[in-house]
């Protein structure tokens, strides 16, 4: 009889995740965990059951843009996939945007929210993208103090009723690119009727079918750069459902995230309202970016968790060379290395989740804003890179099946590749990290923070790992000081390596802290091994300094010819 390989399967993604459960037990008050655990369990069942099955069955489906109806009317209607429609309903009912604004659990509400998002995301074909932008829009409107717009949009963005729930677009990217938003060419003109209208082209707008959006535009007569831009609120359709001065030119043909309708738009008189005055638009999108980068980190660790879960289940089913893969030492070691990267990324991401919750509280601890400003870009850039590396290794763990589309596995890698790009590339965030370090006086605050995390590990036999984490942070601090003294060019050249080193050192420190907590309570013993394996994979990403004799020769000038 011909051999047929069993495909990987998923169980309840909450019950099967020892790291998530031990983290929540350590972090949340017992009464809060008792209250939210049934919901987490239900989401875990959906993620490993109904939603995953829909995802596999829905593999070929993509959003469809219909620009004209049968009678020649321009309609620009986007039809979502069946899984996306189901995901929207579940997101509203579970309050995936609402939870941190309802604040039922105070500063722990962000942990509650993101634990659900972590379970929900991998089975819903990037529906986390419009949710992230909706959360970012809600936080921006609240921070703006614009009562009119907040009263209008916040009840919709945070509704638990699918028929009333809104998502929000985030329209920043133009043909000039996405990182240098200060060069935006969209113009805002105020008409005689007092209404602002927008004119321009948005080159990359994810979730283009959202009922509202926040976007940047330059009021006529304003100066150049980010200070001359203003942040505007708009609703995409009027009461009759017609687009308001918006044409959807086409949907993007992307490497991954293909279920997400990303469009090129033309704005031709789109009515809009200023959110926060008529200047400093780039600065005013900061609350949005902080939240969407948080979602990016959670999406990264969720993607890693999905890949590892599938690879582990497959290893238990696949027999080669006379034994299950799960019984073969080299494959065991490979999977253990992936689990270690996931654990470090998870703990750093949820450390930022916690601190966002504290910052949103009525009395955040002193200095938290400065630490959060540093930790957020570091978390986003490090975890996104880890997600791509883990996804690549996961596909390899399946052999040829990992390269075959109808297994559904290649999408893991294609979708992961957006994570280092969206909401700031690695280089952009590395430079932002430099600015944040400048604002808080260098790396000393992070070194003190890591010391507090590492201290419990020294009591349970993890002193060697603690020394390694401190050493990496100390090297980064020294290199930062030397590069800063050498000038801006030297500092920016080191920015990426500095940020990656700091990020991995903080991940190791958090692994040590969590391993110590688990050791003292007899919970999740695998986390101790994960800490050692993470350290063995390397922490520092700094290059050895060249001596003067080793310095590369100066380039020889070449005359230009016309």
């Amino acid at each position: 009889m011909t051999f047929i390989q069993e495909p990987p399967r998923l169980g309840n993604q909450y019950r099967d995740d020892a790291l998530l459960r031990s983290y929540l037990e350590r972090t949340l008050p017992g009464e809060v965990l008792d209250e939210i655990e049934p919901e987490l369990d239900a989401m875990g069942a959906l993620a490993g059951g109904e939603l995953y099955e829909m995802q596999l069955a829905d593999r070929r489906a993509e959003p469809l843009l219909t620009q004209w109806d049968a009678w020649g009317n321009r309609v620009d209607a986007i039809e979502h996939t069946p899984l996306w429609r189901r995901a929207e309903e579940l997101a509203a009912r579970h309050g995936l945007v609402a939870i941190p604004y309802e604040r039922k659990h105070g500063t722990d509400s962000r942990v509650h929210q993101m634990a659900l998002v972590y379970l929900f995301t991998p089975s819903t074909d990037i529906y986390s993208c419009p949710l992230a932008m909706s959360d970012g829009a809600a936080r921006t409107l609240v921070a703006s103090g614009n009562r009119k717009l907040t009263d209008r949009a916040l009840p919709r963005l945070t509704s638990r009723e699918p028929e009333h729930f809104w998502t929000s677009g985030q329209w920043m990217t133009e043909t000039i690119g996405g990182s240098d938003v200060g060069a935006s060419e969209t113009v805002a003109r105020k008409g005689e009727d007092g209404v602002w209208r927008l004119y321009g082209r948005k080159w990359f707008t994810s979730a283009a079918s959202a009922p509202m959006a926040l976007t940047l535009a330059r009021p006529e007569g304003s100066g150049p750069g980010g200070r001359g831009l203003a942040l505007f609120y708009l609703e995409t359709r009027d009461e009759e459902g017609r687009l308001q001065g918006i044409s959807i030119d086409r949907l993007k043909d992307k490497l991954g995230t293909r279920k997400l309708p990303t469009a090129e738009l033309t704005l031709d008189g789109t009515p809009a309202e200023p959110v926060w005055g008529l200047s400093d638009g780039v600065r005013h999108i900061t609350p949005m970016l902080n939240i969407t980068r948080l979602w990016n980190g959670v999406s990264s660790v969720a993607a890693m968790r999905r890949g590892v879960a599938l690879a582990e289940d497959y290893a238990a089913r696949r027999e080669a060379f006379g034994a299950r893969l799960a019984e073969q030492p080299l494959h065991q070691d490979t999977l253990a290395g992936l689990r270690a990267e996931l654990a470090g990324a998870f703990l750093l991401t949820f450390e930022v989740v916690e601190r966002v919750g504290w910052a949103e509280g009525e009395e955040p601890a002193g200095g938290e804003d400065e630490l959060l400003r540093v930790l957020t870009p570091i978390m986003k850039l490090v975890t996104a890179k880890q997600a791509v590396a883990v996804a690549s290794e996961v596909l390899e763990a399946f052999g040829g099946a990992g390269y075959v589309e109808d297994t559904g596995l290649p999408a893991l890698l294609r979708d992961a590749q957006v994570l280092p790009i969206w909401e700031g590339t690695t280089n952009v965030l590395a430079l932002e990290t430099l600015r944040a370090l400048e604002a808080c006086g260098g790396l000393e605050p992070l070194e003190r923070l890591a010391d507090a995390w590492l201290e419990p590990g020294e009591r349970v036999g993890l002193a060697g790992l603690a020394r390694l984490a401190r050493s990496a942070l100390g090297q980064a601090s020294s290199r930062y000081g030397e590069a800063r003294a050498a000038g801006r060019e030297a500092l920016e050249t080191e920015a990426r390596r500095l940020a990656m080193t700091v990020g991995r050192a903080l991940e190791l420190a958090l692994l040590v802290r969590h391993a110590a907590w688990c050791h003292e309570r007899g919970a999740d013993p695998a986390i101790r091994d994960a800490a050692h394996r993470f350290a063995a994979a390397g922490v520092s990403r700094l290059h050895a300094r060249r001596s003067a004799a080793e310095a590369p020769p100066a380039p020889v000038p070449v005359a230009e010819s016309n």
Side-chain angles (χ1 to χ4, degrees), residues 12-58:
N12 184 304
Q13 292 300 282
Y14 176 68
R15 297 179 191 177
D16 293 349
D17 195 332
L19 175 60
L20 172 62
R21 289 187 288 106
S22 64
Y23 165 78
L24 293 175
E25 184 182 352
R26 176 174 65 80
T27 304
L28 295 178
E31 63 274 13
V32 172
L33 182 56
D34 288 345
E35 184 175 338
I36 70 173
E37 195 159 37
E39 186 178 20
L40 294 169
D41 189 70
M43 185 63 79
L46 282 167
E50 175 197 339
L51 294 177
Y52 182 55
E53 292 166 8
M54 284 188 73
Q55 190 175 47
L56 293 177
D58 206 19

Side-chain angles (χ1 to χ4, degrees), residues 190-308:
K190 191 172 185 179
E192 294 181 359
D193 57 0
V195 176
W196 286 93
R197 291 181 172 84
L198 308 184
Y199 301 83
R201 189 162 180 238
K202 298 297 182 180
W203 184 73
F204 197 98
T205 62
S206 292
S209 54
M212 62 160 284
L214 297 184
T215 186
L216 292 173
R218 195 176 309 279
E220 271 191 322
S222 294
R227 290 186 177 181
L229 292 173
L231 181 63
F232 284 88
Y233 164 97
L234 63 87
E235 294 179 14
T236 54
R237 293 182 183 268
D238 62 21
E239 294 180 357
E240 283 73 43
R242 296 170 300 198
L243 284 170
Q244 301 195 88
I246 300 170
S247 298
I248 302 179
D249 301 327
R250 64 169 176 165
L251 297 183
K252 292 290 194 181
D253 187 7
K254 298 170 292 179
L255 169 69
T257 66
R258 298 185 65 89
K259 307 303 180 75
L260 168 65
T262 304
E264 294 180 20
L265 305 179
T266 296
L267 309 183
D268 187 15
T270 306
E273 294 189 47
V275 174
W276 215 332
L278 296 177
S279 63
D280 295 310
V282 172
R283 180 165 60 87
H284 291 150
I285 64 173
T286 299
M288 176 186 294
L289 292 177
N290 288 339
I291 294 299
T292 53
R293 287 169 179 171
L294 181 66
W295 279 76
N296 199 100
V298 174
S299 296
S300 293
V301 294
M304 284 187 261
R305 166 61 187 154
R306 172 53 50 86
V308 169

Side-chain angles (χ1 to χ4, degrees), residues 303-456:
M304 284 187 261
R305 166 61 187 154
R306 172 53 50 86
V308 169
L310 290 170
E312 287 178 334
D313 187 81
Y314 183 73
R317 300 176 187 280
R318 173 65 172 162
E319 185 173 317
F321 309 108
R324 304 280 183 187
L325 290 179
E327 298 166 354
Q328 299 189 26
L330 183 54
H331 200 76
Q332 289 176 349
D333 184 75
T334 299
L335 294 181
L338 298 181
R339 286 192 293 268
E341 291 296 315
L342 164 60
F346 176 94
L347 292 171
L348 179 57
T349 298
F350 273 83
E351 177 68 24
V352 176
V353 170
E354 291 177 57
R355 290 173 180 275
V356 168
W358 301 342
E360 292 172 345
E362 293 181 359
E363 296 180 4
E368 292 301 338
D369 287 346
E370 288 75 14
L371 284 173
L372 195 55
R373 184 181 172 188
V374 179
L375 289 172
T376 298
I378 290 174
M379 175 274 296
K380 192 274 186 187
L381 71 87
V382 172
T383 59
K385 284 295 190 183
Q386 288 173 297
V388 175
V390 166
S392 179
E393 196 70 53
V394 162
L395 263 60
E396 191 175 341
F398 286 90
Y403 204 68
V404 176
E405 285 291 350
D406 55 7
T407 65
L409 295 167
L412 294 173
L413 181 56
R414 287 199 308 272
D415 289 348
Q417 187 59 62
V418 79
L419 295 164
I421 298 172
W422 187 52
E423 303 302 48
T425 63
T426 306
N427 283 356
V428 167
L429 290 171
L431 294 175
E432 188 169 317
T433 299
L434 291 183
R435 291 191 290 272
L437 289 173
E438 185 77 21
C440 70
L443 270 74
E444 287 186 13
L446 292 179
E447 291 181 278
R448 291 194 297 270
L449 185 63
D451 278 339
W453 295 341
L454 291 165
E455 190 274 332

Side-chain angles (χ1 to χ4, degrees), residues 153-210:
L154 193 63
R156 293 280 198 165
L157 293 168
T158 60
S159 176
R160 286 179 177 260
E161 299 175 4
E163 61 272 22
H164 296 298
F165 177 61
W166 277 5
T167 53
S168 176
Q170 180 178 308
W171 300 354
M172 308 298 170
T173 304
E174 301 187 7
T175 53
I176 54 170
S179 298
D180 187 11
V181 294
S184 174
E185 296 175 337
T186 300
V187 174
R189 297 178 186 140
K190 191 172 185 179
E192 294 181 359
D193 57 0
V195 176
W196 286 93
R197 291 181 172 84
L198 308 184
Y199 301 83
R201 189 162 180 238
K202 298 297 182 180
W203 184 73
F204 197 98
T205 62
S206 292
S209 54

Side-chain angles (χ1 to χ4, degrees), residues 8 72-73 178 195 226 296 305 324 465 491-492 514 525:
N73 298 299
V195 176
N296 199 100
R305 166 61 187 154
R324 304 280 183 187
L465 297 184
L491 186 58
E492 290 189 2
H514 194 63

